[in-house]
């Protein structure tokens, strides 16, 4: 799909449109635009940022957005990409696949976005994928960590930036079976991320000799976990492995803490996102996975934190976490790929991303990362952490316990489930 330039008049039309003002952006209805296009300049590269602002993952969606914006601002400060400034538009995808479908359709067909970036909820990510694939629009799934995203729901146009449930389980499960006990109970959010993550945990635990005594399915947006925690008390498992996310995990952690259940059994939380931790450190317990922490003693980390804080001094969360980090990295590497490809042609940009290697120092992780050409998932360092008993400051909430190499955390099943469409079947898309 190709298009002519977007006129300045069209950019200002409609009550749902807005133009940026001197470093900020105005709002009309749910749509936010950031425009940096000067009169007579080359047509900008426009990004559609598909971020939740409400629902189960509203906090994470807005943290994701900050990372994307920082990457965009840094490219624009250097003159953009290939002499083209970078614009962005965003609206609330509401942690709702139906809403995400409408947003993706509008961003591509009406707003003429060159690329889409965002998502935390796997249902939202898959909905965006379906729309993007129809047009051939490249989509960066920044923070949805269902194994299915790089498995059965993979796509030639989609790249998956977070670690998935299998990656985190491989970093934790075997040692927990051997070191803690073999009677395991699963607590699972009742949607695709929860199902696929718990299925991976179950397979790995059983392979290590564990018995899964039950798998309790928890509807999304549950706030009262009494019945589930009573079952935990009755069954007395050695380990409870949770695949609960967003606002749900915050509510669950608080109720477990109130009942002091963390003292009676071991808990493994597959992944904890920084926005779900901030503001409730007293309920943080057990062992959990992450892809990044703002106090890693690695090159570039301190400088990144300072740049992020300077850009967003009024952020309700004072430091970046794994979600904002993923948003930044996905956006930065997309724009770098456009530069390597010499333009926004989707086939050329996809080829510039497939197999792309990212040194550990640039990733601010312990080990080199790469984009798997067979699944389009970023293979990266996986960290295990627990609550820091001796924090250096109010943001120092994690004690990093281990770092697992990409090879040892690899989701072996994904390549057997992923079938990327051939390039010749890909609709041409260039903006």
């Amino acid at each position: 799909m190709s298009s002519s330039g977007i006129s300045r008049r069209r950019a200002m039309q409609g009550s749902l449109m807005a133009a940026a003002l001197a470093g900020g952006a105005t709002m009309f209805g749910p749509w936010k635009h950031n425009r940096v296009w000067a009169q007579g300049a080359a047509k900008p590269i426009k990004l559609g940022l598909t971020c939740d602002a409400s629902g189960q993952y509203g906090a994470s969606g807005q943290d994701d957005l900050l990372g994307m914006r920082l990457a965009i601002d840094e490219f624009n400060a250097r003159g953009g990409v290939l002499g083209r400034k970078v614009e962005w538009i965003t609206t609330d995808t509401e942690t709702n696949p139906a809403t995400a479908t409408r947003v993706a359709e509008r961003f591509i067909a009406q707003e003429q976005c060159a690329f889409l970036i965002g998502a935390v909820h796997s249902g939202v990510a898959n909905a965006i994928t379906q729309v993007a694939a129809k047009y051939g629009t490249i989509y960066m799934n920044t923070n949805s960590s269902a194994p299915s995203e790089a498995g059965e729901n993979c796509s030639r146009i989609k790249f998956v930036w977070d670690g998935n449930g299998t990656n985190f389980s491989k970093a934790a499960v075997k040692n927990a079976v051997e070191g803690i006990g073999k009677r395991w109970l699963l607590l699972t959010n009742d949607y695709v991320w929860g199902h696929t993550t718990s299925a991976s945990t179950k397979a790995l635990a059983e392979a290590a000799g564990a018995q899964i005594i039950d798998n309790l399915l928890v509807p999304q947006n549950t706030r009262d976990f009494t019945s589930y925690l009573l079952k935990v008390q009755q069954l007395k498992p050695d380990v409870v492995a949770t695949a609960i996310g967003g606002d749900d995990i915050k509510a669950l952690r608080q109720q477990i803490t109130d009942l002091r259940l963390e003292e009676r059994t071991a808990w493994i939380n597959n992944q904890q996102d920084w926005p779900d931790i901030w503001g409730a450190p007293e309920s943080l317990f057990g062992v959990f996975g992450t892809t990044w922490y703002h106090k890693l003693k690695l090159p570039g980390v301190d400088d990144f934190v300072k740049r992020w804080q300077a850009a967003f001094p009024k952020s309700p969360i004072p430091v970046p976490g794994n979600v904002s980090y993923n948003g930044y990295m996905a956006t930065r590497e997309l724009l770098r790929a456009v530069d390597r490809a010499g333009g926004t042609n989707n086939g050329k940009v996809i080829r510039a991303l497939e197999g792309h290697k990212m040194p550990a120092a640039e990733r601010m992780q312990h080990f080199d990362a790469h984009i798997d050409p067979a699944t389009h998932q970023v293979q990266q360092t996986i960290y295990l952490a627990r609550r820091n008993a001796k924090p250096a400051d109010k943001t120092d909430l994690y004690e990093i316990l281990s770092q697992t190499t990409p090879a040892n955390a690899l989701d072996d099943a994904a390549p057997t489930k992923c079938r990327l469409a051939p390039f010749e079947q890909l609709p041409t898309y260039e903006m």
Side-chain angles (χ1 to χ4, degrees), residues 25-57:
T26 55
M27 288 286 290
F28 295 91
W31 302 91
K32 179 187 289 186
H33 287 249
N34 180 276
R35 289 206 167 275
V36 293
W37 193 5
Q39 188 80 29
K43 179 182 175 181
I45 297 170
K46 190 173 184 180
L47 307 181
L49 310 183
T50 54
C51 301
D52 297 335
S54 60
Q56 184 177 355
Y57 292 108

Side-chain angles (χ1 to χ4, degrees), residues 330-369:
T331 307
R332 186 189 76 178
E333 294 301 331
L334 169 64
L335 295 176
R336 286 181 173 182
V338 171
D339 187 57
R340 293 195 302 275
T344 62
N345 176 270
N346 59 342
K348 293 180 180 179
V349 175
I350 289 170
R351 287 184 170 92
L353 287 165
E354 288 183 340
H356 178 57
K357 297 178 180 179
M358 295 165 282
E362 289 192 8
R363 285 277 299 173
M364 298 179 286
Q365 291 180 321
H366 277 75
F367 305 109
D368 293 347

Side-chain angles (χ1 to χ4, degrees), residues 29-244:
W31 302 91
K32 179 187 289 186
H33 287 249
N34 180 276
R35 289 206 167 275
V36 293
W37 193 5
Q39 188 80 29
K43 179 182 175 181
I45 297 170
K46 190 173 184 180
L47 307 181
L49 310 183
T50 54
C51 301
D52 297 335
S54 60
Q56 184 177 355
Y57 292 108
S60 286
Q62 292 306 286
D63 203 45
D64 195 7
L65 177 62
L66 297 186
M68 301 172 196
R69 287 177 54 190
L70 179 60
I72 293 167
D73 289 348
E74 290 181 349
F75 271 86
N76 281 334
R78 297 191 294 268
V81 181
L82 300 173
R84 299 169 65 180
K85 292 290 186 178
V86 183
E87 293 181 357
W88 56 266
I89 180 174
T90 190
T91 194
D92 183 8
T93 42
E94 300 176 342
T95 316
N96 184 308
T99 302
T101 297
R102 294 193 297 272
V103 169
E105 185 74 37
R106 176 169 185 136
F107 279 3
I108 297 170
Q110 298 183 41
E111 296 290 342
Q112 298 185 326
C113 292
F115 306 100
L116 302 183
I117 311 175
V120 181
H121 186 281
S122 56
V124 167
N126 192 37
I128 295 168
T129 304
Q130 302 311 307
V131 178
K134 179 176 67 173
Y135 291 95
T137 307
I138 293 172
Y139 165 48
M140 297 292 195
N141 170 5
T142 50
N143 276 287
S144 173
S145 52
S148 54
E149 280 298 287
E152 55 267 37
N153 292 333
C154 71
S155 175
R156 180 69 71 180
I157 53 85
K158 176 169 63 181
F159 293 84
V160 181
W161 288 83
D162 199 8
N164 71 26
T166 299
N167 302 142
F168 293 113
S169 292
K170 288 192 105 175
V173 167
K174 183 178 179 182
N175 287 341
V177 172
E178 295 173 352
I180 299 172
K182 296 185 177 182
R183 297 182 72 253
W184 283 50
L185 175 71
L186 306 180
L187 269 178
T188 304
N189 251 161
D190 192 8
Y191 76 102
V192 64
W193 168 72
H195 294 166
T196 53
T197 295
S198 282
S200 178
T201 300
K202 179 177 184 292
L204 290 167
E206 289 178 339
Q211 174 194 6
I212 306 300
I213 59 177
D214 208 344
N215 182 8
L216 307 181
L217 296 179
V218 180
Q220 292 181 79
N221 301 309
T222 294
R223 293 298 174 267
D224 184 357
F225 289 85
T226 302
S227 62
Y228 304 99
L229 298 182
L230 285 173
K231 196 73 176 286
V232 173
Q233 289 177 309
Q234 293 165 1
L235 293 174
K236 296 182 174 60
D238 296 320
V239 176
V240 179
T242 73
I244 309 287

